[in-house]
Amino acid sequence: MTTLVKTEGISKEFSSVRVLDNISVEIRAGEVFGIIGENGAGKSTFIKILSGLYQPTAGKLWFDGQLVEMRTPADARKIGISLIPQEFNLVSDLCVYENIFLGEELVTKRGFLDIAAMMERTRKLLAELDVAAIDPSARIQSLSVAQKQMVEIAKAIAFDSRFLIMDEPTTMLTSKEVEVLFGLIERLKTNGVTVVYISHKLKEVKRICDRVMVLRDGEFICLEDIGDLSTDEMARRMVGRELKEIFPPKREVPGEVVLSVRNLSVENLLHDISFELHAGEVLGFAGLIGAGRTELAETIMGLRQPKSGSITLNGRKIQIRRPWDALRAGLSYLSEDRQGSGIITSFDVVRNVTLASLKEYAKPFISQKAEIDKTKFYADRFSIKVPALSARLEQLSGGNQQKVSLAKSIDTQPKIIIVDEPTRGIDVKAKRDIYNFVRELAQSGLSIMFISSELEEIIGMADRVLIMRGGRIVGELPSEKLSEEEIMYFATGIKGGL
Ligand SMILES: Nc1ncnc2c1ncn2[C@@H]1O[C@H](COP(=O)(O)OP(=O)(O)OP(=O)(O)O)[C@@H](O)[C@H]1O
Ligand SMILES: [Mg+2]
């Protein structure tokens, strides 16, 4: 097999801290090349170098036999390299087709923007990704996170590239969309496209990759044929030791009802939602993309207004008109779109952790020491890897940013916490830390609404699961009846149909 990309001694330092150390590797033409490693291992940094976003501190890079020096992503694009980034890189005020063709607009013979052609091409791309429901002229801000992810993918494949890099493309997707993406990868591969695939979902890596490289603390650990590594072995090489028992034991007896939602409806989105949440319970919410789980969380948190229905907290009916009301009532929310509403990437780590709970630190002046101590506690608890506590959040790896947003939502001392896809982009070991922590919160009497598209995680964590479809709750399963099949029956409408 021929080599498409070759690196020799690639290293990267940020203010003299080495985050990538001497990586020499060859990526074969037409293969799907996996990269795995813990949060902060250097995966994104490596592929940012391959796609012209970062310049290496040292080392050389060959593309198709040519020594290349890429100064910008445009340089990379010119030679056929494109990237689906880990964090969305879309302009939210612009519409879908404008984003796809941003900087590479199609023009008519007379030099005008060829809007019709761009719309048509966008429509084709979206149809190929099986998301024809997305309107090419819709503004990005009106899309769900899953739809934004699909637009990022469409953007990357819009121009025939020979080398397509995907940095965690599936964290926001449910199994159906993952299948569509995998179908696409297979087709691209048949057409000779080489793919780099980064993911923490080791089963996906096992399925789609031909070879996999493991990085740990910026260092090359190994590169193996996928057949030679089980998912357990992958985890072991990433972490450097054995990993077992990822889910903590569940709770037997739930406490009294703390939250009761009755006949909650939101125009066009939620229909007649009723459920109860008990003290100490981890209540799972399963469903496909668009089932209404995030909308339900947003309504409870005062981000959307219900047209009817009621919310009762500890026996008292409450009105939640804005997020502040929810926060004051003891509710906290870890949103799925951390960039949209979770954190402020230009602030430092400490300030992000204490963002929603700042008044707790003001007695009356803000105690920086208390803030720092608390941040250190979370950093330790969730193994948050930071260059320094004073680092801006944008300097953290994706998974570490996610851990910071979780810390932020817990730091408000809530009674009820709603977590929406809490472990997206999180490595296996840190996932286990988070599961344990969530279970401890529950043991101490907190109630948790646990929204997740990862069935394994829902099954492993939830004491009870509600399944949503089309803005309704269509099924409920107790812990002992949980299985992936059973959840999918309800989620897809085979069971619990109307
Ligand atoms: N611009 C930057 N300034 C300083 N440090 C940085 C910068 N970008 C990345 N780093 C550091 O480099 C290390 C590697 O980060 P990278 O984003 O490559 O990790 P990753 O393997 O992609 O992790 P994840 O699985 O969480 O996405 C981290 O410790 C991170 O804090
Ligand atoms: Mg990353």
Side-chain angles (χ1 to χ4, degrees):
M1 264 207 223
T2 51
T3 297
L4 182 68
V5 174
K6 181 176 163 200
T7 72
E8 197 180 279
I10 293 272
S11 296
K12 179 70 181 171
E13 291 177 4
F14 290 105
S15 24
S16 73
V17 176
R18 183 161 283 213
V19 301
L20 210 54
D21 192 19
N22 202 17
I23 308 294
S24 302
V25 69
E26 292 186 14
I27 301 174
R28 297 169 183 162
E31 78 173 329
V32 180
F33 184 91
I35 306 179
I36 59 174
E38 285 184 89
N39 296 130
K43 305 178 297 293
S44 295
T45 304
F46 183 64
I47 56 96
K48 281 177 184 167
I49 291 171
L50 297 187
S51 56
L53 273 158
Y54 286 167
Q55 270 71 56
T57 312
K60 290 187 186 134
L61 174 64
W62 286 263
F63 188 78
D64 206 11
Q66 303 281 322
L67 187 64
V68 288
E69 254 185 72
M70 295 176 289
R71 298 253 152 251
T72 62
D75 290 349
R77 193 95 175 203
K78 250 177 250 148
I79 56 175
I81 301 175
S82 53
L83 168 69
I84 301 173
Q86 185 171 11
E87 305 296 329
F88 297 138
N89 197 9
L90 301 168
V91 186
S92 50
D93 293 339
L94 295 182
C95 58
V96 172
Y97 85 84
E98 288 169 322
N99 266 280
I100 289 182
F101 290 94
L102 195 64
E104 298 178 67
E105 290 81 3
L106 303 181
V107 287
T108 61
K109 284 201 191 85
R110 297 172 59 199
F112 295 111
L113 282 181
D114 194 346
I115 294 171
M118 288 189 278
M119 292 266 278
E120 187 47 36
R121 180 93 184 91
T122 302
R123 218 183 306 279
K124 281 215 179 93
L125 285 164
L126 295 171
E128 184 169 3
L129 290 169
D130 212 8
V131 282
I134 303 176
D135 177 356
S137 61
R139 280 192 199 291
I140 294 297
Q141 64 206 20
S142 71
L143 304 183
S144 70
V145 259
Q147 289 175 323
K148 286 182 196 161
Q149 179 69 75
M150 293 317 259
V151 174
E152 278 287 5
I153 296 170
K155 186 175 170 180
I157 61 169
F159 305 90
D160 298 321
S161 53
R162 298 172 59 199
F163 187 51
L164 182 59
I165 303 167
M166 306 188 172
D167 195 350
E168 305 221 30
T170 63
T171 46
M172 293 318 305
L173 307 182
T174 50
S175 44
K176 176 178 161 278
E177 289 128 324
V178 173
E179 288 311 316
V180 174
L181 180 67
F182 280 12
L184 175 80
I185 293 177
E186 293 293 351
R187 285 202 298 284
L188 292 169
K189 212 172 132 174
T190 324
N191 296 335
V193 176
T194 307
V195 176
V196 168
Y197 192 86
I198 298 180
S199 180
H200 289 290
K201 301 188 179 177
L202 302 180
K203 281 189 189 148
E204 289 179 1
V205 171
K206 181 85 185 155
R207 236 186 89 190
I208 199 74
C209 298
D210 297 300
R211 295 193 300 161
V212 63
M213 168 168 82
V214 182
L215 296 178
R216 194 193 309 150
D217 289 330
E219 288 182 17
F220 173 91
I221 299 297
C222 63
L223 171 59
E224 306 277 2
D225 285 335
I226 201 73
D228 296 339
L229 280 188
S230 65
T231 49
D232 284 348
E233 185 60 21
M234 286 184 207
R236 204 184 64 74
R237 303 243 181 138
M238 282 166 58
V239 180
R241 60 181 170 81
E242 209 61 49
L243 266 187
K244 285 214 193 72
E245 282 279 301
I246 80 162
F247 297 107
K250 294 189 183 181
R251 187 184 173 96
E252 298 298 318
V253 211
E256 72 283 15
V257 172
V258 287
L259 176 77
S260 164
V261 171
R262 286 279 145 249
N263 310 104
L264 196 68
S265 293
V266 174
E267 198 75 54
N268 296 327
L269 287 173
L270 297 177
H271 312 285
D272 213 19
I273 300 279
S274 296
F275 69 92
E276 286 173 342
L277 178 68
H278 300 256
E281 183 179 38
V282 179
L283 180 58
F285 284 80
L288 302 178
I289 301 267
R293 296 169 300 162
T294 295
E295 288 75 11
L296 174 60
E298 289 174 347
T299 310
I300 296 175
M301 288 308 295
L303 290 157
R304 291 179 187 274
Q305 297 313 311
K307 71 168 193 251
S308 57
S310 67
I311 297 176
T312 309
L313 199 67
N314 298 317
R316 274 189 37 220
K317 249 189 204 159
I318 54 163
Q319 293 286 340
I320 300 173
R321 291 199 187 79
R322 35 195 180 174
W324 170 241
D325 298 336
L327 210 63
R328 209 170 32 185
L331 289 139
S332 177
Y333 179 42
L334 170 68
S335 75
E336 64 173 339
D337 182 5
R338 62 167 176 268
Q339 283 181 314
S341 48
I343 51 178
I344 301 178
T345 53
S346 58
F347 282 12
D348 68 27
V349 178
V350 174
R351 192 34 57 86
N352 270 286
V353 167
T354 59
L355 206 55
S357 51
L358 206 53
K359 72 173 175 27
E360 297 299 320
Y361 297 89
K363 295 185 173 75
F365 300 108
I366 290 176
S367 161
Q368 270 189 342
K369 181 171 179 308
E371 281 188 287
I372 290 170
D373 287 348
K374 208 50 176 301
T375 305
K376 281 189 182 147
F377 165 79
Y378 292 119
D380 185 48
R381 200 55 224 266
F382 302 145
S383 13
I384 307 179
K385 191 175 169 193
V386 294
L389 292 180
S390 60
R392 292 184 312 277
L393 221 66
E394 61 209 355
Q395 297 172 306
L396 268 57
S397 78
N400 285 304
Q401 292 186 17
Q402 175 72 8
K403 295 178 204 169
V404 171
S405 16
L406 178 66
K408 169 192 160 233
S409 55
I410 296 164
D411 201 52
T412 61
Q413 314 274 327
K415 295 278 177 297
I416 296 174
I417 164 161
I418 308 177
V419 291
D420 198 348
E421 308 290 355
T423 64
R424 83 179 186 93
I426 300 278
D427 70 49
V428 277
K429 180 162 150 284
K431 260 188 190 168
R432 207 179 49 168
D433 295 341
I434 289 176
Y435 297 146
N436 283 325
F437 192 76
V438 166
R439 186 45 73 182
E440 266 173 43
L441 291 177
Q443 295 291 12
S444 72
L446 256 77
S447 309
I448 291 120
M449 287 174 61
F450 195 96
I451 303 174
S452 173
S453 295
E454 274 189 63
L455 293 178
E456 209 181 304
E457 158 176 299
I458 281 265
I459 294 169
M461 283 303 292
D463 298 316
R464 182 164 65 100
V465 173
L466 300 177
I467 302 113
M468 293 186 69
R469 182 163 48 83
R472 292 186 164 79
I473 292 179
V474 293
E476 172 173 344
L477 292 168
S479 181
E480 62 278 8
K481 291 232 174 80
L482 287 176
S483 71
E484 301 203 0
E485 294 75 37
E486 197 66 15
I487 294 176
M488 285 314 285
Y489 285 149
F490 284 103
T492 55
I494 295 174
K495 283 191 181 174
L498 292 169

